[in-house]
Amino acid sequence: MVITKDLVCLNRPERTKEAILDALCAKAVEAGRIADVQGYREAVAKREEEFSTALGYLVALPHGQSDAVTTPFVAVATTSEAFRWDDRSENLVRLVFMIGVPLKNRENTHLRILANISRKLMEDEFREKLLSLNDTEEAFALLSSIEA
Amino acid sequence: MKIVGVTACPTGIAHTYMAQAALIKKGKELGHQVAIETQGSMGIESELKRSEIRDADIVVLAVGCAVEGLERFEGKRILKIEVSEAISHPNRVYEKILEIVAKESK
């Protein structure tokens, strides 16, 4: 499983990129997906430098490829309010999909799920539905439906 | 119009596929026939058919890194854009496509 229930959190109070990444990293560490937070955060920061992963639609997809990641994962957060992701764009974010992929031991099945999730995020209906949910269980069910 | 394209980004994990979905979705809405190949973490997928390339009015390259097989597009009209542009503003991409095709068809 790329997404598990303990990697989903809704209506978070965070209002900055760093704060929401901290919160999601804590989840990923608890779930045993990241062995080295520092190493993972560096990979994410490096990727954000190339170009901002907030590209509109209230979505950001910060991601890092690093051996700090033990198994591929997506940690998902919605925030209670939209916030500006970074200084490089005006794009607001309420939906954060934080992705981690190891450099070694990567299986196509996992990469395929990540690709499917990325595609799914371009569907208005899917994003609206996810943002409307207040129950983690329901959000997880919706997210799991993509993995299949 | 018939449009083919390639999407690719440095990590090839997320934006390659978002750009593909965005270009196909908007293209369908506008009534175009769109085929987009991805060159991402799983290698080349949805590989463009020779006939699709031959019949295409234009080739869109939404790429942020080196891609394979550019020789297939020799002699075609090519629009090169940022991956982020394809995701954030697919409508603008199609406006540009229409402009280019209209100009060169005169």
Side-chain angles (χ1 to χ4, degrees), chain B residues 57-75:
Chain B
D57 296 291
I58 191 163
V59 178
V60 181
L61 300 178
V63 299
C65 58
V67 290
E68 291 174 36
L70 287 178
E71 68 282 354
R72 292 174 293 171
F73 310 128
E74 225 170 276

Side-chain angles (χ1 to χ4, degrees), chain A residues 27-42:
Chain A
K27 291 259 171 202
V29 169
E30 257 174 60
R33 305 298 187 105
I34 303 177
D36 163 20
V37 175
Q38 183 75 23
Y40 174 71
R41 286 294 289 268
E42 278 167 19

Side-chain angles (χ1 to χ4, degrees), chain B residues 20-87:
Chain B
Q20 176 196 32
L23 289 174
I24 290 176
K25 179 170 175 261
K26 181 55 76 178
K28 261 191 199 161
E29 277 174 31
L30 296 171
H32 301 303
Q33 270 185 48
V34 185
I36 306 287
E37 170 181 301
T38 52
Q39 296 193 15
S41 54
M42 292 172 286
I44 295 178
E45 290 193 295
S46 310
E47 189 171 353
L48 297 171
K49 296 188 189 83
R50 224 180 267 183
S51 57
E52 287 172 331
I53 298 172
R54 186 191 60 219
D55 297 341
D57 296 291
I58 191 163
V59 178
V60 181
L61 300 178
V63 299
C65 58
V67 290
E68 291 174 36
L70 287 178
E71 68 282 354
R72 292 174 293 171
F73 310 128
E74 225 170 276
K76 306 292 297 184
R77 292 187 193 105
I78 292 178
L79 172 64
K80 193 166 182 300
I81 52 168
E82 300 286 336
V83 185
S84 54
E85 178 79 355
I87 297 170

Side-chain angles (χ1 to χ4, degrees), chain A:
Chain A
M1 292 292 273
V2 170
I3 302 182
T4 49
K5 210 177 89 183
D6 51 0
L7 289 172
V8 180
C9 48
L10 303 176
N11 297 313
R12 296 287 310 190
E14 284 81 3
R15 294 285 173 275
T16 66
K17 174 169 83 173
E18 296 307 320
I20 196 74
L21 287 178
D22 284 343
L24 286 173
C25 279
K27 291 259 171 202
V29 169
E30 257 174 60
R33 305 298 187 105
I34 303 177
D36 163 20
V37 175
Q38 183 75 23
Y40 174 71
R41 286 294 289 268
E42 278 167 19
V44 169
K46 192 169 154 248
R47 181 62 192 77
E48 290 288 333
E49 268 170 36
E50 288 166 359
F51 67 78
S52 171
T53 66
L55 294 174
Y57 314 97
L58 293 178
V59 177
L61 270 112
H63 52 287
Q65 295 190 92
S66 162
D67 285 324
V69 178
T70 47
T71 52
F73 69 88
V74 184
V76 179
T78 63
T79 59
S80 53
E81 281 174 43
F83 67 94
R84 204 167 148 197
W85 185 247
D86 55 27
D87 297 335
R88 298 160 71 185
S89 75
E90 296 294 320
N91 289 328
L92 295 176
V93 169
R94 258 199 79 199
L95 203 46
V96 182
F97 278 63
M98 187 184 84
I99 298 172
V101 177
L103 289 168
K104 292 173 215 143
N105 302 324
R106 25 199 294 163
E107 286 174 36
N108 272 2
T109 48
H110 293 141
L111 297 171
R112 169 133 354 254
I113 291 164
L114 296 176
N116 288 345
I117 292 170
S118 306
R119 291 192 189 103
K120 194 77 181 171
L121 277 169
M122 300 311 298
E123 290 177 19
D124 305 335
E125 207 177 290
F126 173 74
R127 293 191 309 272
E128 280 158 21
K129 172 91 185 159
L130 190 54
L131 282 171
S132 73
L133 296 177
N134 292 308
D135 181 61
T136 314
E137 196 81 51
E138 279 179 42
F140 175 62
L142 177 66
L143 292 161
S144 309
S145 67
I146 315 170
E147 293 212 12

